[in-house]
Amino acid sequence: MLADPRFDPVAFATFVAGQRDLGTKWAPRFVRIIDALPVGATNKLDKRPLRDERWDTADPLFWRVPRTEAYVPFTPAGAEALGAEFEAN
């Protein structure tokens, strides 16, 4: 997965860290760059396609490295590690 010029992971991590009312557990673990959010017939956000695809997408995807505030591109190695974590739990 290549970096996306529309997303600056360092600036985003700095922004999230500056949100004092946002605890560390509430910081997004993943940031997915998409052109438009999926909506249903009533024009409400449809989260189902996003959940179904999870990290199996061609869209640029970044994740917060566990136990840090850094966001890095999500790679196949990251997908393997996350899959192993899912299986372990």
Side-chain angles (χ1 to χ4, degrees):
M1 196 77 33
L2 298 174
D4 190 284
R6 298 172 289 183
F7 179 72
D8 180 349
V10 174
F12 184 74
T14 302
F15 170 78
V16 170
Q19 305 306 304
R20 295 294 165 219
D21 59 339
L22 183 67
T24 55
K25 292 184 179 180
W26 289 99
R29 187 166 184 191
F30 291 94
V31 176
R32 180 176 168 184
I33 310 299
I34 59 176
D35 292 325
L37 291 171
V39 294
T42 60
N43 217 20
K44 290 184 179 180
L45 176 63
D46 184 4
K47 298 178 197 172
R48 196 172 350 179
L50 299 174
R51 278 191 216 119
D52 291 346
E53 290 175 351
R54 301 172 307 167
W55 55 82
D56 300 319
T57 179
D59 295 329
L61 185 64
F62 296 81
W63 74 322
R64 185 169 40 91
V65 178
R67 296 176 178 45
T68 72
E69 294 180 355
Y71 286 87
V72 298
F74 193 65
T75 62
E80 264 186 53
L82 189 59
E85 182 182 330
F86 266 73
E87 286 182 26
N89 293 314

